[in-house]
Amino acid sequence: MTVKNENEGKKNESDVSQGTALDNEDLWGSDMYPERRGRKFQHSWFKILIGTQGRESIDKNRCEHNVYKCIKESPIIKLMMGALRSSGCEIDIRRHISCEVCNPIVTGGYDSQFNQIVICQNSAYNEDMVRGVLLHEMIHMFDYCRNKLDMKNIDHLACTEIRAANLGHCSFMSSLLQGDSSFINIKATHQNCVKHKARLSVMAVHKVSKEVAEAAIERVFTKCYNDLEPIGRRIRRNSFDMPRAYAEGHLYGYDM
């Protein structure tokens, strides 16, 4: 799951329970993804009047355009597509990627029951955000295909969330802004950011307390943080890491 931002994630921390989700319906309930299991998104007349709702067809077209553009042009997304193909998990973008209306606190998710990536068309509203969601959720899809990921197992979930945050999201500036680091502990900056983002996702998906999520993350952190497949490096912001990773993909047997 890709949580939209840290403040909204923190706001949701007090609402989670101590237990874990028991079935996939709990993991993909109407609170986050109302269209996933046949429910309808409930419009607010006030939001329709101010123009923030009621334009779902426009949002969907924009989202699908951004998805297509990322798949055709983004080196890191093309690398993930090749890695998935090489692992026996071919992606048909019409079947395996869906633009939908979601709870505004998330920008995307991976539904393992349907092996499908969800892009939240109402919150991932530009190409950069869509690329970030695709990368994050494709790492989950890769783990599901290669490592037999079980989303109901909290340790499995913690591991794949660590990997997704590690490979695609955290930088010194984002970690500094969310309060996970400072200029006096730069060495731990990236790991703190990864743990923070993974914790928010584990809490949201499994509906567990902060303590339960942190315990799961600590159990698997070292192994999962050091697993850099299939990218081979941690992507730094404003660097050439994405095209370099793509250029090296064939060296590791990934179909480019």
Side-chain angles (χ1 to χ4, degrees):
M1 178 184 291
T2 313
V3 178
K4 186 175 183 181
N5 62 53
E6 316 318 320
N7 291 331
E8 287 171 327
K10 290 176 181 177
K11 178 181 67 176
N12 202 44
E13 287 181 7
S14 61
D15 297 332
V16 295
S17 67
Q18 294 286 342
T20 58
L22 298 178
D23 54 48
N24 209 56
E25 178 66 20
D26 293 326
L27 301 181
W28 286 86
S30 60
D31 56 337
M32 292 292 179
Y33 307 92
E35 297 182 346
R36 283 277 85 193
R37 297 294 184 264
R39 298 180 176 89
K40 295 294 183 181
F41 178 73
Q42 298 298 315
H43 289 94
S44 161
W45 286 108
F46 174 74
K47 290 183 178 180
I48 290 175
L49 288 174
I50 64 175
T52 59
Q53 288 184 3
R55 41 176 290 161
E56 284 74 24
S57 60
I58 296 173
D59 290 344
K60 191 177 188 69
N61 287 337
R62 180 190 62 207
C63 175
E64 290 177 346
H65 171 77
N66 285 331
V67 167
Y68 183 79
K69 190 172 182 182
C70 287
I71 287 173
K72 289 297 183 182
E73 299 179 4
S74 170
I76 200 66
I77 300 305
K78 290 194 287 186
L79 170 61
M80 290 303 304
M81 294 283 287
L84 283 161
R85 283 195 298 269
S86 299
S87 300
C89 302
E90 190 82 26
I91 292 185
D92 181 339
I93 64 173
R94 298 166 297 180
R95 160 65 180 84
H96 295 111
I97 302 175
S98 176
C99 290
E100 298 178 10
V101 178
C102 311
N103 186 307
I105 73 168
V106 294
T107 53
Y110 173 63
D111 188 340
S112 59
Q113 182 173 339
F114 293 112
N115 191 29
Q116 192 170 56
I117 292 169
V118 176
I119 310 293
C120 297
Q121 63 190 48
N122 56 316
S123 49
Y125 43 77
N126 60 46
E127 184 181 341
D128 286 343
M129 293 182 74
V130 169
R131 182 174 59 248
V133 173
L134 281 172
L135 174 57
H136 185 110
E137 307 305 337
M138 281 181 173
I139 290 169
H140 295 333
M141 183 178 277
F142 181 82
D143 287 346
Y144 183 75
C145 173
R146 187 192 69 167
N147 297 326
K148 310 304 179 186
L149 175 69
D150 179 4
M151 296 294 270
K152 299 176 188 177
N153 184 316
I154 195 170
D155 285 3
H156 284 204
L157 176 65
C159 185
T160 193
E161 292 294 354
I162 288 166
R163 282 179 24 78
N166 183 27
L167 293 171
H169 287 293
C170 288
S171 67
F172 175 72
M173 188 54 64
S174 65
S175 182
L176 184 68
L177 291 174
Q178 70 192 27
D180 289 320
S181 61
S182 70
F183 289 101
I184 62 174
N185 72 331
I186 292 176
K187 184 176 181 180
T189 288
H190 192 267
Q191 291 189 16
N192 290 340
C193 175
V194 169
K195 288 180 179 180
H196 178 82
K197 287 183 175 295
R199 173 170 57 81
L200 292 179
S201 294
V202 170
M203 290 172 65
V205 174
H206 261 261
K207 297 180 173 63
V208 296
S209 68
K210 176 181 176 180
E211 291 73 22
V212 171
E214 287 179 344
I217 289 165
E218 291 299 331
R219 284 195 296 270
V220 300
F221 187 78
T222 299
K223 178 180 180 180
C224 301
Y225 184 75
N226 291 324
D227 182 358
L228 303 180
E229 290 294 332
I231 297 172
R233 67 187 70 214
R234 298 177 179 96
I235 302 299
R236 297 169 297 174
R237 186 175 296 179
N238 300 322
S239 73
F240 292 102
D241 286 343
M242 289 188 186
R244 285 171 181 160
Y246 176 66
E248 294 170 358
H250 72 282
L251 300 174
Y252 301 96
Y254 297 132
D255 179 14
M256 298 292 109

